Amino acid sequence: MRNRRMGRNVVAVLAAALLVGGAAACGNSDTGGDGGGNEKIVLGFSQVGAESGWRTANTTSIKEAAAEAGIELKFDDAQQKQENQIKAIRNFIQQQVDVIAFSPVVESGWDTVLKEAKDAGIPVILTDRAVDSPDKTLYKTFLGSDFVKEGRLSGEWLVENTKDATGPVNIVELQGSTGSAPANDRKEGFAEAIAANPNLKVIASQSGEFTRAGGKQVMEQFLKANPKIDVLFAHNDDMGLGALEAITAAGKTPGKDIIIITIDAVKDGMQALADGKFNFIAECSPLLGPQLMDLVKKVHAGEEVPERIETEETTFTQEQAKAALPSRKY
Ligand code: AHR
């Protein structure tokens, strides 16, 4: 912690001045450090929630990586609410943690609390999702995927795989949580990729909140309101998996009567792809923990870090999913 550390630094300087060689700074048993003057870095992390398989894998990655890196993690689950995240960040500031990291539920509305962290001298790292603050000095770096690219890759696959279609191709879109960066960006990338093809038309688009229950419920509505649906583009696997139930209940065969494209590539999604129920997945990796802990150490040490670090990702067809599934970690 910051105050304790400052106090201990003073002790260390005095000790060094008084003792010639060999004398170590005093240990402190309540710090969680190694007793040799190396206190643990304290990281306050505010997670979006537990809405999807992706999120669960992301939380596990962060907790495991913190333990591995010897970083003390104060973890908060915001249950998909921005107000909870703001409260958590203010608590972290009050507790004087060394570094704050968070995955913002939505893109807007962070400037005030980020300024409070900056004024308190606590560096902030954005992970997984970005904020739309124009002031880039409010955070040190953003580690995460290129969501626009994920949407674009999904759209490009569809363009390629419907190139022989003679009539209109009706698409329904299950958006992620309203106002979140992945929902905004994936929608944008997909729309951009299909724009030049007048045959490809998004006939309905609604949020399923990134959850299976949301995906099922909204897909049921889509199916009732639209007699001809050719394609489902779901902003994550979980919504796609929920939609499978609605599609089957409506007497249609997923993957055949309706082409299904999703994003994430978590195990259950990959299984659906390998089973022929999904047709294509653009990967979004949740395994951000090790890179995040590396950045935490660097910003805590005052080192410069790149302002944007993009996660490496790929895409999967049905055949590629079959090959990748046995070694899939999450
Ligand atoms: O921000 C990443 C997105 O959030 C994932 O695609 C989705 O599954 C999650 O809930």
Side-chain angles (χ1 to χ4, degrees), residues 64-255:
E64 284 179 0
E68 177 83 7
I71 288 173
E72 186 184 328
L73 178 68
K74 291 183 182 291
F75 184 90
D76 180 86
D77 177 341
Q79 300 181 341
Q80 299 250 53
K81 291 202 174 82
Q82 183 176 34
E83 70 216 58
N84 291 347
Q85 280 199 308
I86 293 178
K87 211 186 286 172
I89 293 169
R90 291 206 166 115
N91 278 338
F92 294 148
I93 296 172
Q94 210 180 8
Q95 293 169 51
Q96 298 182 307
V97 300
D98 295 307
V99 181
I100 292 172
F102 77 115
S103 174
V105 176
V106 290
E107 276 189 288
S108 307
W110 298 103
D111 293 38
T112 307
V113 73
L114 288 178
K115 181 135 193 332
E116 288 168 26
K118 190 180 174 189
D119 291 345
I122 303 176
V124 173
I125 298 173
L126 302 179
T127 149
D128 162 38
R129 298 180 178 181
V131 298
D132 64 4
S133 305
D135 182 356
K136 307 282 179 230
T137 70
L138 294 177
Y139 54 90
K140 294 287 176 197
T141 182
F142 164 40
L143 163 70
S145 311
D146 181 341
F147 297 134
V148 178
K149 184 169 152 198
E150 293 166 354
R152 195 183 308 122
L153 290 170
S154 304
E156 283 169 1
W157 181 88
L158 183 62
V159 168
E160 178 59 27
N161 285 274
T162 51
K163 61 175 189 271
D164 297 331
T166 46
V169 176
N170 289 347
I171 305 164
V172 293
E173 179 180 36
L174 280 168
Q175 294 180 39
S177 313
T178 309
S180 69
N184 295 342
D185 294 354
R186 288 170 183 168
K187 184 174 179 54
E188 180 190 323
F190 184 79
E192 202 182 286
I194 64 166
N197 295 66
N199 269 358
L200 301 181
K201 256 184 95 174
V202 178
I203 56 164
S205 180
Q206 202 179 307
S207 174
E209 298 297 339
F210 278 133
T211 65
R212 284 191 196 205
K216 179 173 181 234
Q217 195 207 329
V218 178
M219 191 67 202
E220 281 165 358
Q221 291 168 25
F222 284 163
L223 286 160
K224 268 188 206 138
N226 304 282
K228 182 181 178 298
I229 296 175
D230 302 301
V231 179
L232 163 64
F233 171 46
H235 287 191
N236 79 346
D237 287 343
D238 279 80
M239 290 190 295
L241 290 163
L244 286 184
E245 294 181 43
I247 293 169
T248 314
K252 294 184 190 287
T253 308

